[in-house]
Amino acid sequence: MSLIDLRATNLAREYVAHAHGHHQLILATRGATELSIEGSGERVTGSRGCLIPCSHHHEYLGDGNNRTFVLDIPVASLPSLRDASEMERLFDKPRFFGVPPELNRLADSLMQQLEQCPALHSEIAALLLRALYLHLESQPLSEQGAAYAAGRDGRLDMPSLDAWIDRHLAEEIRVESLATQCALSVGHFHACFRDRMGMTPLAYVQQRRLNHARTLVNHSGLSLGQIAALVGFRDQGSFSRAYRRAFEVSPSSERRLHEALARG
């Protein structure tokens, strides 16, 4: 990647975890995405965006109804940008930030222009990044990083939380709903959960979905589509991809193998 890459997209209800060698800005004009950076997470919405520095592990799960700007910025491209040193400071650490209505309206307008005039890709990307820089320059950055300063002394009742998760596997499970079950703020819950379980809430919910699905694949006559719906996947394709990533075998192959072993 040699140039700034801007795209308007819909982040699906599919759990993704990765890191990459470029900086990233994520802004939504509609809908929401649960997003965690190095174990600290929030919801990206029309009023909340995030900046992800290169090489920082992050994971996300969209609601399937969002309209989201994803701006990828290669580190090598930063020196060529206007106000390059200031732009570099935007990505000195992961941060979530408030998006005021005027910036949200600008992002929505730019998204429409990008969809109508793809040839203006570079100009729209530069304008969006400049607008964000001016917005963040006008307010202290301490608020943007507040989620990373959450206390770590809370207690989690994991048996009760597990039971709640399992009752709601077929539904969209948000981090804020899990935090409510524990009577904690989202930031505090995220930090406590990571300390206790060694993974983020998003990864843990995905793990429980897939472990439950594996039991159904091997010990029920339900179709794979039915199993996908029961454990909260939007379709059989996304379920099969997640299953293969987790267990290194597709659900259909594992079912055939289990049936063959059962027959002796």
Side-chain angles (χ1 to χ4, degrees):
M1 182 187 300
S2 58
L3 300 174
I4 292 177
D5 179 49
L6 176 67
R7 58 192 182 278
T9 187
N10 178 300
L11 300 177
R13 287 190 60 196
E14 184 170 354
Y15 173 79
V16 176
H18 62 194
H20 39 62
H22 54 269
H23 302 315
Q24 195 168 71
L25 160 67
I26 299 182
L27 284 176
T29 60
R30 186 184 69 209
T33 296
E34 302 280 356
L35 192 145
S36 172
I37 312 170
E38 302 291 358
S40 294
E42 291 193 29
R43 298 182 74 210
V44 174
T45 66
S47 61
R48 201 74 176 157
C50 74
L51 292 163
I52 306 172
C54 70
S55 302
H56 278 67
H57 178 83
H58 54 284
E59 50 198 299
Y60 62 87
L61 177 68
D63 65 2
N65 297 310
N66 55 80
R67 296 180 76 234
T68 304
F69 256 144
V70 178
L71 177 59
D72 295 333
I73 308 162
V75 176
S77 296
L78 279 174
S80 65
L81 298 177
R82 180 180 177 184
D83 299 313
S85 60
E86 288 81 1
M87 294 295 182
E88 288 184 23
R89 286 201 294 272
L90 285 178
F91 296 96
D92 60 357
K93 63 181 179 181
R95 62 182 97 235
F96 292 90
F97 57 88
V99 179
E102 57 270 22
L103 182 57
N104 181 269
R105 287 194 293 270
L106 174 62
D108 186 54
S109 174
L110 291 176
M111 188 176 293
Q112 294 178 38
Q113 292 183 44
L114 179 64
E115 292 170 346
Q116 296 170 7
C117 306
L120 296 179
H121 166 277
S122 298
E123 291 80 0
I124 293 172
L127 180 57
L128 181 63
L129 192 59
R130 176 69 177 168
L132 176 65
Y133 161 64
L134 292 174
H135 164 60
L136 295 181
E137 185 187 45
S138 69
Q139 47 183 288
L141 294 181
S142 58
E143 183 273 339
Q144 301 157 23
Y148 296 89
R152 304 207 172 211
D153 57 351
R155 297 182 179 179
L156 302 178
D157 180 0
M158 288 307 300
S160 296
L161 192 60
D162 285 346
W164 187 91
I165 291 171
D166 290 347
R167 288 197 303 271
H168 295 83
L169 283 179
E171 307 165 19
E172 178 184 2
I173 297 177
R174 297 176 176 175
V175 175
E176 61 187 15
S177 299
L178 298 175
T180 298
Q181 300 303 311
C182 300
L184 296 173
S185 69
V186 172
H188 194 181
F189 169 76
H190 225 288
C192 293
F193 193 98
R194 178 74 180 224
D195 279 354
R196 171 77 178 274
M197 304 305 297
M199 66 178 72
T200 65
L202 282 177
Y204 186 77
V205 169
Q206 182 81 341
Q207 182 184 84
R208 291 194 76 83
R209 289 190 198 280
L210 290 169
N211 286 340
H212 187 64
R214 196 173 204 181
T215 299
L216 294 175
V217 165
N218 290 319
H219 302 286
S220 82
L222 296 172
S223 70
L224 297 184
Q226 290 172 320
I227 293 173
L230 283 174
V231 299
F233 285 87
R234 62 188 176 89
D235 55 45
Q236 185 176 327
S238 59
F239 164 63
S240 294
R241 288 190 295 274
Y243 197 100
R244 182 185 290 274
R245 285 196 298 268
F247 304 125
E248 298 184 343
V249 63
S250 69
S252 57
S253 295
E254 182 157 58
R255 172 169 275 181
R256 287 194 297 270
L257 177 60
H258 184 82
E259 290 172 346
L261 292 173
R263 290 193 298 269

